[in-house]
Amino acid sequence: MRNAIARTAFTAIATLAAAVAFAAPTAELKVTGVIKPPACTPNLAAGGVVDYGIIPASSLAAGQNKKLETRQVDLSITCDGPAKMSVKFTDNRASSRVAGITGRATDPYNFGLGAVAGKNVGGYALSFDANSTVDGVAARNIYSGDNGRTWNGGVVYLQHDGQLFSFGNGSNQPVAFKQLNAKINVETTLNKPENLPLSQDVPLDGSTTIEVNYL
């Protein structure tokens, strides 16, 4: 009986040893990588600064808002591959808006110019010039009020309350591009002098963030 048990144990040990001896070495092959959308970089000429310089307080007329000369700033967006994208505008001085000062129908088109001594300085409106190009070809300025589900042409003024703006073809659909060139018109209006602390310097302090979104 003891011999049978010993033979059984020996057989089990021998079988295990043979399995270990003949186990094949292994190597793992991995497939990795990341699919990335084209990267697009926006750039504004002159660092994005629209400078009106020194504005004499004496040039402001009592009871009137002062409309300054319309300025333009060049916007370019460069992508490392063809991409459909939109831009969104955020007013960083929203608390300083002066209702209706820019003459636009509604305040979503009115951006604040900052405040001094608790007084709001004024406002400005933004619009795309009609001569936008993508990859050197004329493009139509278009906009979406439903987060890109539908698009409309004929955009004039740019608003800060959630609309997306893009560049499209004749059927008002965004087109893919590697290079956008556009001009943004800046129409600035100052508050009435009686609403400003003119015993001190009153700097203009408008600030808008332009955000690129991929479609």
Side-chain angles (χ1 to χ4, degrees), residues 54-153:
I54 296 175
I55 304 164
S58 59
S59 68
L60 279 63
Q64 298 180 28
N65 297 317
K66 181 178 178 65
K67 186 174 177 62
L68 302 181
E69 176 187 54
T70 297
R71 299 286 179 87
Q72 283 190 328
V73 59
D74 291 330
L75 168 68
S76 64
I77 299 177
T78 304
C79 305
D80 58 17
K84 290 183 181 181
M85 47 69 60
S86 65
V87 290
K88 180 181 178 181
F89 295 81
T90 300
D91 183 6
N92 299 323
R93 301 291 183 265
S95 63
S96 68
R97 294 176 195 153
V98 179
I101 193 169
T102 61
R104 306 279 63 82
T106 57
D107 278 344
Y109 302 94
N110 176 15
F111 293 72
L113 265 183
V116 177
K119 303 294 185 180
N120 295 334
V121 176
Y124 59 100
L126 302 175
S127 62
F128 276 127
D129 189 80
N131 299 314
S132 300
T133 64
V134 292
D135 296 333
V137 178
R140 192 173 193 195
N141 300 326
I142 59 177
Y143 73 96
S144 173
D146 55 12
N147 203 34
R149 288 187 291 274
T150 61
W151 293 89
N152 302 280

Side-chain angles (χ1 to χ4, degrees), residues 19-27:
V20 172
F22 289 103
T26 63

